[in-house]
Amino acid sequence: MKFTDGFWQTRPGVTALYAQEAYDIERVGESVRVTAPTRVIARRGDTLNRPALTVSLSSPLEGVIAVRVENHLGSAHHRGFEMPGADAAATEIRIDDVGGSLTSGSLTARIAAGSPWSLEFESNGRVLTRSGGKSIGRMDLAPDAAVAAEPVGEVGASADGRPAASRYLHAQLSLGVGELVYGLGERFGPLVKNGQSVDVWNADGGTSSEQSYKSVPFYLTNRGYGVLVNHSEHVSFEVGSEAVEQVQFSVPGEVLEYLVIDGPTPADVIERYTRLTGRPAEVPAWSYGLWLSTSFTTDYDEKTVSSFIDGMIERDLPLSVFHFDCFWMREFNWTDFAWDTRVFPDPDGMLERLHGKDLRVSVWMNPYIAQRGAAFEEAAAGDYLVKKPNGDIWQWDMWQAGMALVDFTNPDAVTWYQGKIRALLEQGVDAIKTDFGERIPTDVVWHDGTDPAAMHNLYTQLYNKAVFDVLEEYRGKGEAVLFARSATAGGQQMPVHWGGDNSSSFESMAETLRGGLSLALSGFGFWSHDIGGFEGMPDADVFKRWVAFGLLSSHSRLHGSTSYRVPWLFDDGTEEPGQSAVEVTRTFAQLKNRLMPYLLQVGREAHETGLPFMRPMQLEFAGDPSVDHLDRQYMIGSQVLVAPVFSAAGEVQYYLPAGRWTNWFTNETVDGGVWRTETHAFDSIPLWIREGSVIPLGARSDRPDYDYLDGLTLAVYPTQDAGGRDVTVTTPDGDTAVFHASWSDSGVQVTSDAEGAWTWRNAAE
């Protein structure tokens, strides 16, 4: 949101009042409090008829400093995010005539006394960012300007008639020369956010728009720090756009709170941010396998489902999960939690038969209750639905006729909804796709009294948590899996999330990857996407290139809108050997299953450290300026590099960072620090192993969940200098073995106390 007209003037209808000085600085408990009047106080009369902002500094965690800016202290409308990892850090506070400081770990906030306003954040003697003149302000908007300032969306403030905010607080933090900003949730535009205006306001906008299903008011920069704006309501970011030297963020109301999170590397920032806001839960090995869906509006019944599954088995295509999308329930009834018996007359028997084929089952769900379904009357009678201010149940006809919205701020509504989910689990369902959660109105009253604007983004957290908690309760920790579309800060605790509605094109494939990388840089550990694209029917070229990308993502799903996604629909039988859609799917599904001992350990790292499964190059190679803008390649963990192919002809250009790399498919070894241009057949992709890696490979390619230690092979990729690496392999049943690989001029050796038949090889030879 922009308030100024160039450097000197404000926009029409905007009155700007800025913190002009640190008038006094005092210690209050373990925090520092600053009175910051909106003019320099030269005499006593200057204290009259003049707003003063209160700025407080504190530390919720070692290496994190919270800054709270308040205009009127009586405001009760601010709602931040839960911070399960908060642990009040030991701080050092100093106040003298020059100013004050608060230090937490290696991070120090230093505020200068008097005028001009100056707040700096330092780490190990280096200034990370600063808040200078005109950086903290109160913006009062005339009515017409206030309306124009609100986000527009299906249920945004401008769309539903809610009075627009007339007061905002904003803050700015400086951008250094060459400093680049990443994150802010799942964003499908440029990965580097400099120059962008970003509204943190969840919307069902698809992957080809500026909107986001997963809006997260957190960013990090290549200078090794991050910033979380601790507001669940609409947060507007101007990233080097309105003021090109600053990141500006603004919120409606009387309170603005942000947290500066120290690194020193971007990976350290993610580790600390997820320690504060929550780490991803561990997900089971079976969930990493291939998921196949009914698709959305296609016709299907048990016979159709069985034909798909049998077709996969007949073609030797590994399949782990079958997903039933919306129409497992009767049309106009979503969500009533009941199978449509016209097409699934024996759901209990069908689920048993699917489990007999060694498959897990996922079903679609949303938080809306259509009035035709029996669940509506039940929920209305129990007072489980969101209300209008006049006491009526809020309803509209977008999506399903007369649909209402479950009020997850009501504990009884949560219990009721969870009871419905539990019944499905008892019936034999294994995983839940929690769709939607973005179209949340603001002209309503919530059971717990939460400000509707604050609940718009936060709703998805309550919705996903309600479902995830019952999954975890029923299945046990490490066995619960969502397939969620919407999220906000903290949503990473409840994996997995997928990228929403994309299109069947190479351009959409590329924007999908950008969204996943952006989400990974926002603290999310696991992520998936619709292989081949959701909208439209992909041609064979798009489908096959996307299969390779999808099966080298943490979670892999074949899903579409109006057309099926079984691989044999995409070719005419005239392909070269190994190049048909069926063969390409088999190649990469089997590869993923063999890589599972490595992949499961990468997933455990995400759970334990917060570092994502799919790692943007900026996380793994911080300090290499060549990776700053890369958005068409990524790492799986720290050892495997993937560069998806975004062309039918197979042309791909990518960058190998410094060091020696070995090609997975050809065993070619090259020195990095170079760009490469190649052409790949459909059954190939740039897939490189970093020197110093030890990749544990399982003996089976037909499934992701098996005893990895039985027939394990360790592929060792030694460095040019003597060295070694410890590798932990954990099976899906929890058995663990540690292997030590070492290398020198005399060769490679691997030792372990692990029992069973395992072996190793020097993969660089």
Side-chain angles (χ1 to χ4, degrees), residues 58-67 107-109 119 121-122 128-129 173 219 225-229 249 258-263 269 272 276:
S58 60
S59 178
L61 185 71
E62 177 268 331
V64 180
I65 293 179
V67 180
L107 183 63
T108 296
L119 171 62
F121 297 90
E122 303 174 0
L128 301 176
T129 187
L173 291 173
Y219 69 86
Y225 69 93
V227 176
L228 170 65
V229 180
F249 36 90
Y258 67 91
L259 286 69
V260 176
I261 302 168
D262 194 16
V269 174
R272 190 171 267 123
L276 185 63

PDB file of all heavy atoms in Angstrom, residues 58-67 107-109 119 121-122 128-129 173 219 225-229 249 258-263 269 272 276:
ATOM      1  N   SER A  58      11.781  -6.050  22.625  1.00  0.00           N
ATOM      2  CA  SER A  58      11.865  -7.205  23.509  1.00  0.00           C
ATOM      3  C   SER A  58      12.404  -8.378  22.700  1.00  0.00           C
ATOM      4  O   SER A  58      12.643  -8.264  21.494  1.00  0.00           O
ATOM      5  CB  SER A  58      10.494  -7.545  24.108  1.00  0.00           C
ATOM      6  OG  SER A  58       9.558  -7.838  23.075  1.00  0.00           O
ATOM      7  N   SER A  59      12.577  -9.524  23.348  1.00  0.00           N
ATOM      8  CA  SER A  59      13.117 -10.690  22.646  1.00  0.00           C
ATOM      9  C   SER A  59      12.338 -11.945  23.026  1.00  0.00           C
ATOM     10  O   SER A  59      12.409 -12.396  24.174  1.00  0.00           O
ATOM     11  CB  SER A  59      14.594 -10.893  22.962  1.00  0.00           C
ATOM     12  OG  SER A  59      15.080 -12.058  22.312  1.00  0.00           O
ATOM     13  N   PRO A  60      11.607 -12.538  22.062  1.00  0.00           N
ATOM     14  CA  PRO A  60      10.880 -13.785  22.354  1.00  0.00           C
ATOM     15  C   PRO A  60      11.735 -15.030  22.222  1.00  0.00           C
ATOM     16  O   PRO A  60      11.305 -16.120  22.595  1.00  0.00           O
ATOM     17  CB  PRO A  60       9.773 -13.778  21.296  1.00  0.00           C
ATOM     18  CG  PRO A  60      10.399 -13.092  20.128  1.00  0.00           C
ATOM     19  CD  PRO A  60      11.310 -12.040  20.708  1.00  0.00           C
ATOM     20  N   LEU A  61      12.943 -14.884  21.666  1.00  0.00           N
ATOM     21  CA  LEU A  61      13.820 -16.023  21.415  1.00  0.00           C
ATOM     22  C   LEU A  61      15.223 -15.494  21.168  1.00  0.00           C
ATOM     23  O   LEU A  61      15.383 -14.401  20.602  1.00  0.00           O
ATOM     24  CB  LEU A  61      13.323 -16.815  20.195  1.00  0.00           C
ATOM     25  CG  LEU A  61      14.052 -18.107  19.848  1.00  0.00           C
ATOM     26  CD1 LEU A  61      13.751 -19.184  20.894  1.00  0.00           C
ATOM     27  CD2 LEU A  61      13.626 -18.604  18.466  1.00  0.00           C
ATOM     28  N   GLU A  62      16.208 -16.243  21.575  1.00  0.00           N
ATOM     29  CA  GLU A  62      17.599 -15.835  21.350  1.00  0.00           C
ATOM     30  C   GLU A  62      17.818 -15.532  19.867  1.00  0.00           C
ATOM     31  O   GLU A  62      17.450 -16.304  18.984  1.00  0.00           O
ATOM     32  CB  GLU A  62      18.528 -16.973  21.806  1.00  0.00           C
ATOM     33  CG  GLU A  62      19.993 -16.716  21.560  1.00  0.00           C
ATOM     34  CD  GLU A  62      20.447 -17.257  20.202  1.00  0.00           C
ATOM     35  OE1 GLU A  62      19.865 -18.236  19.711  1.00  0.00           O
ATOM     36  OE2 GLU A  62      21.374 -16.652  19.621  1.00  0.00           O
ATOM     37  N   GLY A  63      18.388 -14.358  19.577  1.00  0.00           N
ATOM     38  CA  GLY A  63      18.652 -13.949  18.209  1.00  0.00           C
ATOM     39  C   GLY A  63      17.463 -13.332  17.501  1.00  0.00           C
ATOM     40  O   GLY A  63      17.529 -13.106  16.285  1.00  0.00           O
ATOM     41  N   VAL A  64      16.383 -13.073  18.235  1.00  0.00           N
ATOM     42  CA  VAL A  64      15.176 -12.460  17.655  1.00  0.00           C
ATOM     43  C   VAL A  64      14.802 -11.257  18.503  1.00  0.00           C
ATOM     44  O   VAL A  64      14.727 -11.351  19.734  1.00  0.00           O
ATOM     45  CB  VAL A  64      14.004 -13.454  17.620  1.00  0.00           C
ATOM     46  CG1 VAL A  64      12.762 -12.798  17.015  1.00  0.00           C
ATOM     47  CG2 VAL A  64      14.377 -14.709  16.847  1.00  0.00           C
ATOM     48  N   ILE A  65      14.548 -10.123  17.857  1.00  0.00           N
ATOM     49  CA  ILE A  65      14.119  -8.920  18.567  1.00  0.00           C
ATOM     50  C   ILE A  65      12.794  -8.459  17.997  1.00  0.00           C
ATOM     51  O   ILE A  65      12.647  -8.288  16.779  1.00  0.00           O
ATOM     52  CB  ILE A  65      15.175  -7.807  18.482  1.00  0.00           C
ATOM     53  CG1 ILE A  65      16.426  -8.217  19.267  1.00  0.00           C
ATOM     54  CG2 ILE A  65      14.614  -6.480  19.007  1.00  0.00           C
ATOM     55  CD1 ILE A  65      17.552  -7.202  19.231  1.00  0.00           C
ATOM     56  N   ALA A  66      11.819  -8.303  18.893  1.00  0.00           N
ATOM     57  CA  ALA A  66      10.489  -7.834  18.515  1.00  0.00           C
ATOM     58  C   ALA A  66      10.402  -6.332  18.708  1.00  0.00           C
ATOM     59  O   ALA A  66      10.869  -5.790  19.719  1.00  0.00           O
ATOM     60  CB  ALA A  66       9.422  -8.531  19.349  1.00  0.00           C
ATOM     61  N   VAL A  67       9.816  -5.653  17.728  1.00  0.00           N
ATOM     62  CA  VAL A  67       9.586  -4.213  17.781  1.00  0.00           C
ATOM     63  C   VAL A  67       8.079  -3.997  17.725  1.00  0.00           C
ATOM     64  O   VAL A  67       7.420  -4.405  16.764  1.00  0.00           O
ATOM     65  CB  VAL A  67      10.264  -3.485  16.605  1.00  0.00           C
ATOM     66  CG1 VAL A  67      10.003  -1.980  16.686  1.00  0.00           C
ATOM     67  CG2 VAL A  67      11.755  -3.779  16.588  1.00  0.00           C
ATOM     68  N   LEU A 107      22.303 -10.651  18.151  1.00  0.00           N
ATOM     69  CA  LEU A 107      21.552  -9.551  17.542  1.00  0.00           C
ATOM     70  C   LEU A 107      21.362  -8.421  18.545  1.00  0.00           C
ATOM     71  O   LEU A 107      20.943  -8.648  19.692  1.00  0.00           O
ATOM     72  CB  LEU A 107      20.190 -10.058  17.057  1.00  0.00           C
ATOM     73  CG  LEU A 107      19.300  -9.053  16.329  1.00  0.00           C
ATOM     74  CD1 LEU A 107      19.943  -8.584  15.032  1.00  0.00           C
ATOM     75  CD2 LEU A 107      17.930  -9.669  16.047  1.00  0.00           C
ATOM     76  N   THR A 108      21.631  -7.199  18.097  1.00  0.00           N
ATOM     77  CA  THR A 108      21.453  -6.014  18.928  1.00  0.00           C
ATOM     78  C   THR A 108      20.585  -5.004  18.202  1.00  0.00           C
ATOM     79  O   THR A 108      20.807  -4.724  17.017  1.00  0.00           O
ATOM     80  CB  THR A 108      22.809  -5.359  19.263  1.00  0.00           C
ATOM     81  OG1 THR A 108      23.581  -6.260  20.052  1.00  0.00           O
ATOM     82  CG2 THR A 108      22.617  -4.059  20.037  1.00  0.00           C
ATOM     83  N   ALA A 109      19.597  -4.478  18.915  1.00  0.00           N
ATOM     84  CA  ALA A 109      18.830  -3.328  18.435  1.00  0.00           C
ATOM     85  C   ALA A 109      19.354  -2.108  19.169  1.00  0.00           C
ATOM     86  O   ALA A 109      19.374  -2.076  20.401  1.00  0.00           O
ATOM     87  CB  ALA A 109      17.340  -3.523  18.696  1.00  0.00           C
ATOM     88  N   LEU A 119      16.915   3.674  14.516  1.00  0.00           N
ATOM     89  CA  LEU A 119      16.933   2.364  15.148  1.00  0.00           C
ATOM     90  C   LEU A 119      17.691   1.424  14.224  1.00  0.00           C
ATOM     91  O   LEU A 119      17.294   1.237  13.070  1.00  0.00           O
ATOM     92  CB  LEU A 119      15.496   1.856  15.374  1.00  0.00           C
ATOM     93  CG  LEU A 119      15.327   0.405  15.835  1.00  0.00           C
ATOM     94  CD1 LEU A 119      15.984   0.167  17.189  1.00  0.00           C
ATOM     95  CD2 LEU A 119      13.841   0.045  15.897  1.00  0.00           C
ATOM     96  N   PHE A 121      19.784  -2.419  13.598  1.00  0.00           N
ATOM     97  CA  PHE A 121      19.916  -3.813  14.013  1.00  0.00           C
ATOM     98  C   PHE A 121      21.285  -4.303  13.571  1.00  0.00           C
ATOM     99  O   PHE A 121      21.620  -4.246  12.387  1.00  0.00           O
ATOM    100  CB  PHE A 121      18.801  -4.654  13.394  1.00  0.00           C
ATOM    101  CG  PHE A 121      17.431  -4.239  13.846  1.00  0.00           C
ATOM    102  CD1 PHE A 121      16.716  -3.275  13.156  1.00  0.00           C
ATOM    103  CD2 PHE A 121      16.868  -4.787  14.997  1.00  0.00           C
ATOM    104  CE1 PHE A 121      15.458  -2.870  13.576  1.00  0.00           C
ATOM    105  CE2 PHE A 121      15.609  -4.388  15.429  1.00  0.00           C
ATOM    106  CZ  PHE A 121      14.903  -3.423  14.715  1.00  0.00           C
ATOM    107  N   GLU A 122      22.063  -4.761  14.548  1.00  0.00           N
ATOM    108  CA  GLU A 122      23.435  -5.177  14.290  1.00  0.00           C
ATOM    109  C   GLU A 122      23.624  -6.635  14.681  1.00  0.00           C
ATOM    110  O   GLU A 122      22.999  -7.125  15.628  1.00  0.00           O
ATOM    111  CB  GLU A 122      24.422  -4.326  15.097  1.00  0.00           C
ATOM    112  CG  GLU A 122      24.329  -2.835  14.857  1.00  0.00           C
ATOM    113  CD  GLU A 122      25.231  -2.054  15.794  1.00  0.00           C
ATOM    114  OE1 GLU A 122      25.921  -2.709  16.620  1.00  0.00           O
ATOM    115  OE2 GLU A 122      25.243  -0.822  15.724  1.00  0.00           O
ATOM    116  N   LEU A 128      22.731  -4.822   9.970  1.00  0.00           N
ATOM    117  CA  LEU A 128      21.917  -5.603   9.043  1.00  0.00           C
ATOM    118  C   LEU A 128      20.912  -4.719   8.310  1.00  0.00           C
ATOM    119  O   LEU A 128      20.764  -4.792   7.089  1.00  0.00           O
ATOM    120  CB  LEU A 128      21.169  -6.707   9.798  1.00  0.00           C
ATOM    121  CG  LEU A 128      22.021  -7.722  10.563  1.00  0.00           C
ATOM    122  CD1 LEU A 128      21.126  -8.679  11.337  1.00  0.00           C
ATOM    123  CD2 LEU A 128      22.922  -8.480   9.601  1.00  0.00           C
ATOM    124  N   THR A 129      20.202  -3.907   9.082  1.00  0.00           N
ATOM    125  CA  THR A 129      19.191  -3.029   8.515  1.00  0.00           C
ATOM    126  C   THR A 129      18.901  -1.946   9.534  1.00  0.00           C
ATOM    127  O   THR A 129      19.267  -2.057  10.710  1.00  0.00           O
ATOM    128  CB  THR A 129      17.914  -3.813   8.142  1.00  0.00           C
ATOM    129  OG1 THR A 129      17.009  -2.962   7.437  1.00  0.00           O
ATOM    130  CG2 THR A 129      17.223  -4.384   9.370  1.00  0.00           C
ATOM    131  N   LEU A 173      12.238  -0.711   6.758  1.00  0.00           N
ATOM    132  CA  LEU A 173      13.579  -1.173   7.074  1.00  0.00           C
ATOM    133  C   LEU A 173      14.424  -1.057   5.818  1.00  0.00           C
ATOM    134  O   LEU A 173      13.971  -1.379   4.717  1.00  0.00           O
ATOM    135  CB  LEU A 173      13.554  -2.617   7.575  1.00  0.00           C
ATOM    136  CG  LEU A 173      12.907  -2.823   8.954  1.00  0.00           C
ATOM    137  CD1 LEU A 173      12.790  -4.306   9.271  1.00  0.00           C
ATOM    138  CD2 LEU A 173      13.701  -2.108  10.042  1.00  0.00           C
ATOM    139  N   TYR A 219       9.707 -12.329   5.481  1.00  0.00           N
ATOM    140  CA  TYR A 219      10.678 -12.323   4.395  1.00  0.00           C
ATOM    141  C   TYR A 219      12.075 -12.473   4.963  1.00  0.00           C
ATOM    142  O   TYR A 219      12.324 -12.237   6.154  1.00  0.00           O
ATOM    143  CB  TYR A 219      10.556 -11.050   3.547  1.00  0.00           C
ATOM    144  CG  TYR A 219      10.988  -9.757   4.211  1.00  0.00           C
ATOM    145  CD1 TYR A 219      12.321  -9.339   4.188  1.00  0.00           C
ATOM    146  CD2 TYR A 219      10.063  -8.917   4.834  1.00  0.00           C
ATOM    147  CE1 TYR A 219      12.723  -8.149   4.769  1.00  0.00           C
ATOM    148  CE2 TYR A 219      10.446  -7.718   5.414  1.00  0.00           C
ATOM    149  CZ  TYR A 219      11.778  -7.338   5.387  1.00  0.00           C
ATOM    150  OH  TYR A 219      12.169  -6.147   5.971  1.00  0.00           O
ATOM    151  N   TYR A 225      19.313 -12.004   7.413  1.00  0.00           N
ATOM    152  CA  TYR A 225      18.339 -11.765   8.473  1.00  0.00           C
ATOM    153  C   TYR A 225      16.946 -11.894   7.864  1.00  0.00           C
ATOM    154  O   TYR A 225      16.764 -11.871   6.636  1.00  0.00           O
ATOM    155  CB  TYR A 225      18.517 -10.378   9.110  1.00  0.00           C
ATOM    156  CG  TYR A 225      18.142  -9.220   8.200  1.00  0.00           C
ATOM    157  CD1 TYR A 225      16.864  -8.681   8.228  1.00  0.00           C
ATOM    158  CD2 TYR A 225      19.063  -8.682   7.312  1.00  0.00           C
ATOM    159  CE1 TYR A 225      16.516  -7.629   7.373  1.00  0.00           C
ATOM    160  CE2 TYR A 225      18.733  -7.642   6.469  1.00  0.00           C
ATOM    161  CZ  TYR A 225      17.447  -7.118   6.507  1.00  0.00           C
ATOM    162  OH  TYR A 225      17.099  -6.094   5.665  1.00  0.00           O
ATOM    163  N   GLY A 226      15.965 -12.065   8.734  1.00  0.00           N
ATOM    164  CA  GLY A 226      14.581 -12.157   8.295  1.00  0.00           C
ATOM    165  C   GLY A 226      13.704 -11.236   9.113  1.00  0.00           C
ATOM    166  O   GLY A 226      14.101 -10.755  10.187  1.00  0.00           O
ATOM    167  N   VAL A 227      12.481 -10.999   8.619  1.00  0.00           N
ATOM    168  CA  VAL A 227      11.525 -10.134   9.306  1.00  0.00           C
ATOM    169  C   VAL A 227      10.148 -10.793   9.246  1.00  0.00           C
ATOM    170  O   VAL A 227       9.683 -11.160   8.164  1.00  0.00           O
ATOM    171  CB  VAL A 227      11.455  -8.732   8.666  1.00  0.00           C
ATOM    172  CG1 VAL A 227      10.369  -7.882   9.342  1.00  0.00           C
ATOM    173  CG2 VAL A 227      12.811  -8.035   8.749  1.00  0.00           C
ATOM    174  N   LEU A 228       9.530 -10.970  10.398  1.00  0.00           N
ATOM    175  CA  LEU A 228       8.144 -11.427  10.490  1.00  0.00           C
ATOM    176  C   LEU A 228       7.294 -10.274  10.986  1.00  0.00           C
ATOM    177  O   LEU A 228       7.541  -9.733  12.073  1.00  0.00           O
ATOM    178  CB  LEU A 228       8.025 -12.600  11.457  1.00  0.00           C
ATOM    179  CG  LEU A 228       6.584 -13.020  11.813  1.00  0.00           C
ATOM    180  CD1 LEU A 228       5.847 -13.560  10.595  1.00  0.00           C
ATOM    181  CD2 LEU A 228       6.578 -14.040  12.950  1.00  0.00           C
ATOM    182  N   VAL A 229       6.300  -9.875  10.195  1.00  0.00           N
ATOM    183  CA  VAL A 229       5.322  -8.893  10.653  1.00  0.00           C
ATOM    184  C   VAL A 229       4.226  -9.685  11.358  1.00  0.00           C
ATOM    185  O   VAL A 229       3.490 -10.453  10.725  1.00  0.00           O
ATOM    186  CB  VAL A 229       4.766  -8.067   9.482  1.00  0.00           C
ATOM    187  CG1 VAL A 229       3.744  -7.049   9.984  1.00  0.00           C
ATOM    188  CG2 VAL A 229       5.909  -7.349   8.769  1.00  0.00           C
ATOM    189  N   PHE A 249       6.197  -1.990   5.341  1.00  0.00           N
ATOM    190  CA  PHE A 249       5.032  -2.829   5.635  1.00  0.00           C
ATOM    191  C   PHE A 249       4.067  -2.019   6.494  1.00  0.00           C
ATOM    192  O   PHE A 249       4.465  -1.243   7.374  1.00  0.00           O
ATOM    193  CB  PHE A 249       5.428  -4.141   6.315  1.00  0.00           C
ATOM    194  CG  PHE A 249       6.583  -4.048   7.278  1.00  0.00           C
ATOM    195  CD1 PHE A 249       6.384  -3.784   8.624  1.00  0.00           C
ATOM    196  CD2 PHE A 249       7.884  -4.232   6.828  1.00  0.00           C
ATOM    197  CE1 PHE A 249       7.448  -3.709   9.506  1.00  0.00           C
ATOM    198  CE2 PHE A 249       8.964  -4.151   7.702  1.00  0.00           C
ATOM    199  CZ  PHE A 249       8.751  -3.882   9.051  1.00  0.00           C
ATOM    200  N   TYR A 258       6.673  -6.127  14.570  1.00  0.00           N
ATOM    201  CA  TYR A 258       7.500  -6.937  13.690  1.00  0.00           C
ATOM    202  C   TYR A 258       8.686  -7.490  14.462  1.00  0.00           C
ATOM    203  O   TYR A 258       9.092  -6.944  15.492  1.00  0.00           O
ATOM    204  CB  TYR A 258       7.945  -6.155  12.454  1.00  0.00           C
ATOM    205  CG  TYR A 258       8.904  -5.004  12.690  1.00  0.00           C
ATOM    206  CD1 TYR A 258      10.282  -5.196  12.652  1.00  0.00           C
ATOM    207  CD2 TYR A 258       8.438  -3.704  12.916  1.00  0.00           C
ATOM    208  CE1 TYR A 258      11.164  -4.139  12.841  1.00  0.00           C
ATOM    209  CE2 TYR A 258       9.309  -2.646  13.101  1.00  0.00           C
ATOM    210  CZ  TYR A 258      10.673  -2.866  13.068  1.00  0.00           C
ATOM    211  OH  TYR A 258      11.551  -1.817  13.256  1.00  0.00           O
ATOM    212  N   LEU A 259       9.217  -8.603  13.960  1.00  0.00           N
ATOM    213  CA  LEU A 259      10.332  -9.279  14.589  1.00  0.00           C
ATOM    214  C   LEU A 259      11.476  -9.364  13.593  1.00  0.00           C
ATOM    215  O   LEU A 259      11.281  -9.775  12.441  1.00  0.00           O
ATOM    216  CB  LEU A 259       9.948 -10.696  15.019  1.00  0.00           C
ATOM    217  CG  LEU A 259       9.052 -10.881  16.243  1.00  0.00           C
ATOM    218  CD1 LEU A 259       7.633 -10.384  15.963  1.00  0.00           C
ATOM    219  CD2 LEU A 259       8.991 -12.348  16.650  1.00  0.00           C
ATOM    220  N   VAL A 260      12.657  -8.967  14.028  1.00  0.00           N
ATOM    221  CA  VAL A 260      13.870  -9.121  13.231  1.00  0.00           C
ATOM    222  C   VAL A 260      14.576 -10.386  13.714  1.00  0.00           C
ATOM    223  O   VAL A 260      14.801 -10.571  14.915  1.00  0.00           O
ATOM    224  CB  VAL A 260      14.783  -7.900  13.351  1.00  0.00           C
ATOM    225  CG1 VAL A 260      16.080  -8.116  12.587  1.00  0.00           C
ATOM    226  CG2 VAL A 260      14.069  -6.654  12.832  1.00  0.00           C
ATOM    227  N   ILE A 261      14.906 -11.267  12.767  1.00  0.00           N
ATOM    228  CA  ILE A 261      15.431 -12.591  13.083  1.00  0.00           C
ATOM    229  C   ILE A 261      16.836 -12.700  12.496  1.00  0.00           C
ATOM    230  O   ILE A 261      17.041 -12.557  11.286  1.00  0.00           O
ATOM    231  CB  ILE A 261      14.513 -13.677  12.510  1.00  0.00           C
ATOM    232  CG1 ILE A 261      13.092 -13.504  13.070  1.00  0.00           C
ATOM    233  CG2 ILE A 261      15.054 -15.067  12.804  1.00  0.00           C
ATOM    234  CD1 ILE A 261      12.041 -14.325  12.365  1.00  0.00           C
ATOM    235  N   ASP A 262      17.801 -12.976  13.353  1.00  0.00           N
ATOM    236  CA  ASP A 262      19.193 -13.012  12.930  1.00  0.00           C
ATOM    237  C   ASP A 262      19.522 -14.323  12.249  1.00  0.00           C
ATOM    238  O   ASP A 262      18.846 -15.340  12.426  1.00  0.00           O
ATOM    239  CB  ASP A 262      20.095 -12.820  14.148  1.00  0.00           C
ATOM    240  CG  ASP A 262      21.537 -12.504  13.761  1.00  0.00           C
ATOM    241  OD1 ASP A 262      21.774 -12.131  12.597  1.00  0.00           O
ATOM    242  OD2 ASP A 262      22.425 -12.633  14.628  1.00  0.00           O
ATOM    243  N   GLY A 263      20.614 -14.326  11.453  1.00  0.00           N
ATOM    244  CA  GLY A 263      21.119 -15.491  10.763  1.00  0.00           C
ATOM    245  C   GLY A 263      22.281 -16.124  11.506  1.00  0.00           C
ATOM    246  O   GLY A 263      22.068 -16.714  12.551  1.00  0.00           O
ATOM    247  N   VAL A 269      18.458 -18.275   9.401  1.00  0.00           N
ATOM    248  CA  VAL A 269      17.219 -17.516   9.613  1.00  0.00           C
ATOM    249  C   VAL A 269      16.028 -18.465   9.595  1.00  0.00           C
ATOM    250  O   VAL A 269      15.140 -18.394  10.463  1.00  0.00           O
ATOM    251  CB  VAL A 269      17.054 -16.421   8.544  1.00  0.00           C
ATOM    252  CG1 VAL A 269      15.693 -15.735   8.683  1.00  0.00           C
ATOM    253  CG2 VAL A 269      18.169 -15.389   8.642  1.00  0.00           C
ATOM    254  N   ARG A 272      15.872 -20.528  12.738  1.00  0.00           N
ATOM    255  CA  ARG A 272      15.416 -19.780  13.910  1.00  0.00           C
ATOM    256  C   ARG A 272      13.940 -19.399  13.789  1.00  0.00           C
ATOM    257  O   ARG A 272      13.178 -19.461  14.762  1.00  0.00           O
ATOM    258  CB  ARG A 272      16.305 -18.535  14.079  1.00  0.00           C
ATOM    259  CG  ARG A 272      16.103 -17.802  15.375  1.00  0.00           C
ATOM    260  CD  ARG A 272      17.166 -16.737  15.564  1.00  0.00           C
ATOM    261  NE  ARG A 272      18.318 -17.199  16.316  1.00  0.00           N
ATOM    262  CZ  ARG A 272      19.573 -17.177  15.896  1.00  0.00           C
ATOM    263  NH1 ARG A 272      19.872 -16.707  14.709  1.00  0.00           N
ATOM    264  NH2 ARG A 272      20.554 -17.611  16.660  1.00  0.00           N
ATOM    265  N   LEU A 276      10.743 -20.712  16.198  1.00  0.00           N
ATOM    266  CA  LEU A 276       9.797 -19.813  16.856  1.00  0.00           C
ATOM    267  C   LEU A 276       8.354 -20.131  16.478  1.00  0.00           C
ATOM    268  O   LEU A 276       7.475 -20.229  17.344  1.00  0.00           O
ATOM    269  CB  LEU A 276      10.133 -18.367  16.473  1.00  0.00           C
ATOM    270  CG  LEU A 276       9.328 -17.255  17.146  1.00  0.00           C
ATOM    271  CD1 LEU A 276       9.557 -17.246  18.653  1.00  0.00           C
ATOM    272  CD2 LEU A 276       9.708 -15.903  16.548  1.00  0.00           C
TER     273      LEU A 276
END
